[in-house]
């Protein structure tokens, strides 16, 4: 693609580095910025730079935070006997949006994936094990996506956690709410039968 | 959506103002930036601000440009007897990429659209009419999208241009190259028959 201006070409190339943004989309975004107030572009650029420079990771749970200790870890109303282990910050946001969980979190920063060269030492697993002695944690809820890598990570964690006197739980797997039985894959449907719960339990 | 950090919330809100970017996509982009080098975010922000501050519009054709007169208008190899009228900068880029056009351009900056409140005075139509007297232009090629608004704009232009001694042409409409006859809409197929060309002409 030939651009009439070096300035727009640079902007398009930088935008196209973002995930899911190709050169056509990048051009559309750049032209959108040119059509609108320059203040809009400045405040976007400022918000991005500010986020990238000032954001911290909570020293306890490794969630992103504006402060040394995140708003969840420092909240006195949170149940400190419960620790939910997730792979990613996005999972914290997803679980928080359900409003069904009142405990603390621990973000691993990924899952074990030999193909991508990510081993246990690349994740905050040691940090999790160091966090437990002397803490009030009684239950660890593993909320890791049920993929091959996620299950491997969960299995590794249960082996590491068995020396502690803890209840280890995992999120329920089954037919999604609103899902249709006939379109549910066999493994999920099979597990939903094996792990059936008493009717009207929730 | 609840965010664990005000900084990421601001960045997400700014990103979500871009066309085609929702809050979920914005969050994915923000987390991508947090995972990668801060230099990547800084150079993106810098490229955007630089583009928005320094970019100019060519004083002849209103195309975007790094200089007062754009690289097309200032190119001595361009055919100055031909002027292609387009609605948008994107159309210039699209036509340039075909490498089939060697003349000059004139960017209108939009099309006449009473619904959106865009009249002829909001476009660079007067600038086009002022450009013609004393110029070398012999032919005006109207390359405006064949939509309702585009056709209205083209019709308005032909009325304004008829006082000048010019050949006025428009881009061919017909079945797209690689298109299938049975899936072509009736109007396009009908016009492609009425405006048939001699076989092997191109």
């Amino acid at each position: 693609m030939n651009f009439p201006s070096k300035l727009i070409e640079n902007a398009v190339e930088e935008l196209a580095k973002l995930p899911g943004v190709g050169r056509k989309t990048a051009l559309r975004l750049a032209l959108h910025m040119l059509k609108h107030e320059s203040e809009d572009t400045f405040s976007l650029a400022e918000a991005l730079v500010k986020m990238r420079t000032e954001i911290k990771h909570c020293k306890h749970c490794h969630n992103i935070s504006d402060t040394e200790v995140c708003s969840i870890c420092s909240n006195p109303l949170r149940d400190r006997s419960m620790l939910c282990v997730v792979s990613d910050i996005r999972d914290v946001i997803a679980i928080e949006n359900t409003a069904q969980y009142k405990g603390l979190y621990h973000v691993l920063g990924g899952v074990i994936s030999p193909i991508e060269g990510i081993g246990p030492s690349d994740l905050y697993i040691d940090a999790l094990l160091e966090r437990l002695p002397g803490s009030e944690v009684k239950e660890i809820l593993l909320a890791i996506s049920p993929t091959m890598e996620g299950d491997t990570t969960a299995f590794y964690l249960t082996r590491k956690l068995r020396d502690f006197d803890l209840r280890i739980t995992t999120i329920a797997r089954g037919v999604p709410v609103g899902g249709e039985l006939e379109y549910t894959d066999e493994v999920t449907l099979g597990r939903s039968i094996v792990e059936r719960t008493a009717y009207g339990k929730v």
Side-chain angles (χ1 to χ4, degrees), chain A residues 2-171:
Chain A
N2 291 312
F3 290 101
S5 147
K6 199 81 200 148
L7 291 163
I8 202 167
E9 191 173 348
N10 280 345
V12 165
E13 264 163 28
E14 288 294 336
L15 284 166
K17 286 180 190 167
L18 296 173
V21 180
R23 280 166 74 86
K24 282 225 164 175
T25 308
L27 178 63
R28 195 159 53 88
L29 295 179
L31 292 174
H32 170 92
M33 288 178 208
L34 287 178
K35 266 201 177 169
H36 289 74
E37 293 300 316
S38 41
E39 276 68 37
D40 293 352
T41 307
F42 300 159
S43 58
L44 167 66
E46 199 198 327
L48 296 182
V49 167
K50 221 171 150 164
M51 172 191 75
R52 196 61 190 80
T53 334
E54 294 179 20
I55 219 159
K56 294 177 183 71
H57 285 83
C58 173
K59 64 177 179 177
H60 296 313
C61 70
H62 302 283
N63 188 11
I64 46 170
S65 167
D66 294 346
T67 44
E68 281 277 292
V69 176
C70 77
S71 55
I72 296 172
C73 286
S74 60
N75 185 345
L77 298 173
R78 287 280 179 163
D79 178 1
R80 269 146 220 289
S81 70
M82 191 106 175
L83 194 66
C84 177
V85 177
V86 294
S87 70
D88 202 89
I89 296 152
R90 254 171 295 188
D91 302 326
V92 175
I93 297 172
I95 294 172
E96 282 299 288
N97 282 328
T98 67
Q100 295 290 322
Y101 180 72
K102 293 293 161 213
L104 302 179
Y105 289 94
H106 189 87
V107 180
L108 295 175
V111 283
I112 297 169
S113 170
I115 295 168
E116 291 177 47
I118 302 168
S121 59
D122 299 312
L123 308 175
Y124 292 117
I125 291 177
D126 287 340
L128 171 65
L129 302 177
E130 282 160 23
R131 228 183 130 168
L132 295 174
S135 76
E136 299 163 48
V137 178
K138 299 241 163 3
E139 178 175 343
I140 294 210
L141 169 58
L142 300 175
I144 300 172
S145 300
T147 59
M148 179 90 90
E149 289 84 5
D151 284 342
T152 307
T153 311
F155 181 72
Y156 182 88
L157 283 173
T158 52
R159 293 285 290 265
K160 286 277 174 186
L161 290 168
R162 76 182 160 186
D163 302 335
F164 298 90
D165 182 26
L166 291 166
R167 191 180 167 214
I168 299 175
T169 53
T170 179
I171 46 167

